[in-house]
Amino acid sequence: MKQSLKYVCCECGHSSPKWLGKCPSCGNWNTFNEEKEIAASRYSIQTEKLQMPQKPQKLSEIASNDSQRMLTGIGELDRVLGGGVVKGSLVLVGGDPGIGKSTLLLQICDKISANKNVLYVSGEESSEQIKIRASRLGITNENLLILAETELNSILSTAKELAPEIMIIDSIQTVFKEDISSAPGSVTQVREATHHLMRYAKENNVAVFIVGHVTKEGSIAGPRVLEHMVDCVLYFEGERTQSYRILRTVKNRFGSTNEIGVFEMLDKGLSEVKNPSQMLLDGRPENVSGSTVVCTLEGTRPIMAEVQALCSPTGFGNPRRMTTGIDFSRAVLLTAILEKQLGFPMQNQDVYVNVVGGIKIVETATDLAVITAIASNFKNFVIDSKTIILGEVGLTSEVRSISFCDQRIAEAAKLGFEYCILPAANAASVSKKDGIKLLPVKNVSEAIRYLKKIEEVREKEDNQQG
C-alpha cells in the first residue's frame, strides 16, 4: 500500500503537504510534525457494526426513559451532567495539570463501583501508583478494576471481556493505535483513539470518560474535532494554590451548558460544596468601602459573590486598570461611565476590581455592583454588608432590567440580606420576599444615593444601640 507524507499541526490539526514554519490556521510557529498518510481502510475498527436498526424510525416510536441515566453519587457532578451520566455517552474532562481531574474520576469510580463494574484505564500511572492514591482517598471497592495500558486495541479487547458499565481513560493523549505511525498524543492518534472509543461506547451502551490535557491557552490539546465528537465537555477550573475547584460544562448534548459544580480539595480528596454562596461570602469584611455583593446565575443556580474595588492615585502617565474574575473591557467601560456621566475624576486613578473566591462572572447583571464598588472606594463611603446590588448599566448610566431577578432575590433573602437595589423595570414583576426590602432605581446616581441613605440608617441604629 502506497504511503505518502503529510505535515500536521500539533495544536489545531491543520495538515499540509509540505512543512511550514507558521501554521496558517492557528498562527503558532514550529508546530508541524511529519506523519505518514495511510488509507482510511487501515483504520477500520476491529469491532462489530453499530447495533442500530437499519430502517428509519418515527421519533414517537423511539423508547427513552430515565433509566438511561446513572447517578454518580456526587451531587455536584450529577448537576453539571444534567441529572447523571447517560449510558453510551462519551464525556471529555479537561483541566490544568494537578487541578484534580484524576482524583475526581477515581472518586466517581468509588461511588459507582459499589453496585456496578467500573474499569479505570491509566496510561500515566502504574497500577501500584493508583493503589497508593486510592488508599489515600479511602477507596477499597472490589468492583473497581484497574488497567495500566496505552495500546487502544488491548484496551478495547479487555473492555469487551470485562463488560464494565463505566470506563475511564486517563488520559487520551497517552493512548495509541499500533497501525498508525505517529507518536502517542499526536493529532492523528488522539482523533482515531477518540473515534474508536466513541464507537465502543455507542455499541455497548457504556459510559466512557476520557481525560484530556490542556494547552497553555487553556483549551483541550489536540484537534478541535475532538470536542465535536464527544457528547459532553467538562472543564475543571481553579488555582492549585487555592482549595476550591469549579467544574464547568461547555458542551452537553443531554443537559444545560451553563451549570457548574463547586468542590473543595481536602486531604481525603474532593469534597462537594453544596452552598457555594455561603462559601464565597465567608470572611467578608464589614464597614469597609469598595465591597459589594451581587448574585450571578450559573445555569439554574444563583450564586452570591463579593465584588471588591480599589482606587489609588496613579504614579504613571496612564492610569492602570486591572481585573480578576470579570471582563477587563467591561470594567474599563464602567469606569468611563463614572467619569463621563457622573463626573468622577478617574483619569488620575488606578482602578483594580476583584471577584473574591476565584469565580468568574461573565453576565452584565453585575454591572451595577461593580460600578458602585468603584464609586464607594473612590468616595470612601461604606456599602451596607446586608445589601445586594443587581442591574445592568448602559452607557448613559441608566440601570436596565435583568433576567431571573426573582431567583436572585430569593437566594439573597435566604442568606439574610435586608436590602436589594434592583432595576426599576424589574420591580413590578418581582414578588416581594420576607425580610428583604426592594429599592428600585433608574440610574447609577439613584443607586449611590440609596446606598448613602442606608449607611446613615445603620449609623443611627448603631448610635441608638450604643
Side-chain angles (χ1 to χ4, degrees):
M1 182 181 297
K2 184 178 179 181
Q3 299 180 358
S4 60
L5 296 179
K6 65 177 180 178
Y7 297 86
V8 180
C9 174
C10 62
E11 294 290 338
C12 68
H14 180 82
S15 61
S16 171
K18 61 179 181 179
W19 186 87
L20 300 173
K22 181 180 180 181
C23 177
S25 178
C26 65
N28 290 317
W29 289 87
N30 299 322
T31 56
F32 277 88
N33 297 322
E34 181 182 285
E35 293 186 8
K36 291 181 180 179
E37 190 170 16
I38 309 172
S41 59
R42 283 196 55 189
Y43 294 171
S44 57
I45 187 167
Q46 300 174 7
T47 57
E48 301 85 359
K49 294 182 178 180
L50 285 172
Q51 301 299 316
M52 294 184 179
Q54 298 299 316
K55 295 181 180 180
Q57 286 181 290
K58 292 182 179 180
L59 182 62
S60 58
E61 296 176 351
I62 301 176
S64 177
N65 50 55
D66 292 337
S67 64
Q68 287 296 316
R69 289 190 183 270
M70 295 181 290
L71 295 178
T72 64
I74 301 177
E76 292 295 295
L77 178 62
D78 290 335
R79 169 193 286 271
V80 170
L81 291 172
V85 185
V86 176
K87 296 179 181 178
S89 63
L90 185 61
V91 181
L92 174 62
V93 182
D96 293 331
I99 204 69
K101 302 184 296 297
S102 299
T103 299
L104 175 64
L105 293 174
L106 203 54
Q107 288 183 239
I108 294 172
C109 294
D110 179 41
K111 299 287 185 181
I112 296 180
S113 60
N115 51 19
K116 294 180 175 65
N117 287 331
V118 179
L119 177 61
Y120 188 99
V121 181
S122 176
E124 300 179 347
E125 298 176 284
S126 65
S127 301
E128 291 77 13
Q129 291 171 330
I130 296 175
K131 172 65 176 179
I132 293 172
R133 185 152 50 89
S135 299
R136 178 175 60 85
L137 300 175
I139 298 173
T140 57
N141 282 337
E142 296 294 330
N143 292 332
L144 175 55
L145 306 173
I146 306 297
L147 175 65
E149 180 60 73
T150 56
E151 207 284 314
L152 180 64
N153 290 331
S154 298
I155 293 173
L156 293 177
S157 299
T158 304
K160 287 182 180 182
E161 179 183 347
L162 299 175
E165 295 185 64
I166 288 184
M167 182 168 69
I168 293 173
I169 307 294
D170 187 8
S171 66
I172 192 63
Q173 275 80 10
T174 63
V175 177
F176 70 96
K177 200 165 185 291
E178 281 188 342
D179 56 4
I180 301 177
S181 60
S182 56
S186 65
V187 171
T188 304
Q189 289 282 12
V190 169
R191 182 178 61 242
E192 292 301 320
T194 304
H195 172 71
H196 284 59
L197 290 169
M198 178 189 68
R199 291 283 301 273
Y200 168 78
K202 306 301 180 187
E203 290 170 6
N204 299 277
N205 206 29
V206 175
V208 178
F209 286 80
I210 59 176
V211 176
H213 295 165
V214 296
T215 63
K216 58 184 179 182
E217 289 81 16
S219 59
I220 298 289
R224 295 295 298 179
V225 70
L226 182 64
E227 298 186 32
H228 294 289
M229 293 168 66
V230 301
D231 298 307
C232 183
V233 180
L234 305 178
Y235 275 91
F236 215 29
E237 303 173 352
E239 298 292 335
R240 281 180 291 176
T241 56
Q242 297 181 352
S243 61
Y244 295 108
R245 305 285 191 269
I246 294 176
L247 183 66
R248 188 183 304 273
T249 174
V250 295
K251 175 187 176 181
N252 191 356
R253 289 175 177 159
F254 313 113
S256 172
T257 57
N258 296 315
E259 296 289 355
I260 68 167
V262 184
F263 298 86
E264 184 178 7
M265 180 64 79
L266 304 174
D267 292 340
K268 295 294 184 179
L270 289 162
S271 173
E272 298 178 68
V273 178
K274 297 185 178 179
N275 190 351
S277 295
Q278 187 66 51
M279 175 268 293
L280 291 170
L281 295 180
D282 276 347
R284 180 173 173 244
E286 297 184 1
N287 300 321
V288 296
S289 64
S291 174
T292 61
V293 176
V294 70
C295 186
T296 182
L297 278 179
E298 292 286 355
T300 58
R301 167 183 281 180
I303 295 180
M304 308 285 286
E306 180 188 0
V307 178
Q308 294 180 338
L310 176 65
C311 299
S312 176
T314 184
F316 305 96
N318 295 321
R320 299 184 68 186
R321 305 284 187 260
M322 293 186 65
T323 64
T324 303
I326 69 168
D327 182 62
F328 172 79
S329 300
R330 195 73 188 173
V332 172
L333 181 147
L334 296 173
T335 305
I337 292 172
L338 274 178
E339 182 170 3
K340 178 67 176 179
Q341 304 295 346
L342 283 80
F344 284 49
M346 307 301 295
Q347 70 275 6
N348 60 352
Q349 295 287 319
D350 292 335
V351 178
Y352 306 90
V353 181
N354 175 49
V355 180
V356 178
I359 191 171
K360 294 180 181 178
I361 298 177
V362 295
E363 61 173 349
T364 56
T366 61
D367 286 353
L368 189 57
V370 174
I371 201 169
T372 52
I374 297 172
S376 165
N377 190 259
F378 182 77
K379 293 292 188 179
N380 198 30
F381 66 87
V382 175
I383 295 179
D384 180 60
S385 61
K386 294 295 184 180
T387 301
I388 181 176
I389 304 173
L390 305 172
E392 178 183 348
V393 178
L395 293 181
T396 61
S397 81
E398 81 278 11
V399 178
R400 307 182 72 90
S401 63
I402 60 174
S403 59
F404 304 103
C405 199
D406 255 325
Q407 290 92 320
R408 301 173 199 263
I409 296 174
E411 180 73 8
K414 186 173 67 175
L415 292 178
F417 282 79
E418 300 175 6
Y419 295 95
C420 175
I421 294 178
L422 74 162
N426 286 113
S429 59
V430 171
S431 57
K432 293 184 178 180
K433 305 293 188 298
D434 293 337
I436 189 166
K437 184 176 181 181
L438 305 181
L439 304 173
V441 297
K442 294 182 178 180
N443 54 56
V444 177
S445 297
E446 286 186 26
I448 293 175
R449 284 197 296 270
Y450 269 131
L451 292 171
K452 290 183 177 180
K453 287 181 181 178
I454 295 172
E455 182 186 9
E456 293 173 1
V457 170
R458 293 297 190 195
E459 289 179 353
K460 289 181 181 179
E461 291 176 352
D462 293 340
N463 291 334
Q464 291 175 357
Q465 293 177 358

